[in-house]
């Protein structure tokens, strides 16, 4: 098998081209030039529903939870959002165990949401939600069990 021989001038030109290509991809000092990231848009919360959507996005278990429906018998999970002065209060509830009769157990989270979209957990009550009650994949949490 015969080797391929390049004259020294061709090798020098190839190396120079590689160095120029690498330099074009970096800024001074050999550090890659960062791609500008657009500034995040400010959040302005004006309704309890907007506040609730921010809270529901904080936990995968909350994804399929809908608002409290007082006319629905056996609603195992719900949220309730209200205006509270210059902020909003959002309560999220997950219940289990004979929910057509009102649920034997429940866990509730209470959040405050500011007008600029800051979500803060301010309280939590009830036993831990057992595995299988809600798995974060959008199981049946809106109605009865």
């Amino acid at each position: 098998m015969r080797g391929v021989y390049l004259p020294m001038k061709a090798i020098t030109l190839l190396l120079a081209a590689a160095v120029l290509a690498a330099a074009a991809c970096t800024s001074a000092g050999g550090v890659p030039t960062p791609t500008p990231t657009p500034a995040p848009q400010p959040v302005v919360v004006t309704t309890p529903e907007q506040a609730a959507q921010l809270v529901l996005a904080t936990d995968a278990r909350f994804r399929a939870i809908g608002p409290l429906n007082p006319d629905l018998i056996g609603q195992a999970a719900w949220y309730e959002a209200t205006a509270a002065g210059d902020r909003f209060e959002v309560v999220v509830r997950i219940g289990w165990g004979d929910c057509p009769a009102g649920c034997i157990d429940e866990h509730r989270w209470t959040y405050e949401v500011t007008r600029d979209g800051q979500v803060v957990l301010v309280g939590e009550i009830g036993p831990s939600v057992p595995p299988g009650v809600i798995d974060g994949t959008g199981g049946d949490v809106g109605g009865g069990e």
Side-chain angles (χ1 to χ4, degrees), residues 60-107:
R61 295 175 296 180
F62 300 165
R63 280 195 311 216
I65 295 178
L68 173 63
N69 181 347
D71 297 326
L72 183 62
I73 295 173
Q75 187 175 14
W78 47 259
Y79 70 83
E80 190 170 34
T82 56
D86 64 342
R87 58 194 50 184
F88 300 94
E89 180 179 273
V90 180
V91 176
V92 179
R93 183 252 200 179
I94 296 176
W96 62 94
D98 196 17
C99 285
C103 298
I104 295 170
D105 291 300
E106 69 176 14
H107 192 98

Side-chain angles (χ1 to χ4, degrees), residues 117-128:
Q118 299 296 313
V119 176
V120 178
L121 176 64
V122 295
E124 198 172 345
I125 190 165
S128 296

Side-chain angles (χ1 to χ4, degrees), residues 3-68:
V4 176
Y5 295 98
L6 294 173
M8 185 55 87
K9 188 173 186 180
I11 292 172
T12 303
L13 288 173
L14 287 172
L15 287 173
V19 168
L20 287 174
C25 295
T26 62
S27 62
V31 178
T33 305
T35 304
T37 306
Q41 296 298 317
V43 175
V44 178
V45 182
T46 58
T47 67
E49 183 60 34
Q50 289 173 327
Q53 294 310 310
L54 288 174
V55 168
L56 297 177
T58 67
D59 192 320
R61 295 175 296 180
F62 300 165
R63 280 195 311 216
I65 295 178
L68 173 63

Side-chain angles (χ1 to χ4, degrees), residues 60-61 63-65 134-141:
R61 295 175 296 180
R63 280 195 311 216
I65 295 178
I134 185 167
D135 61 5
T137 60
D140 182 19
V141 296

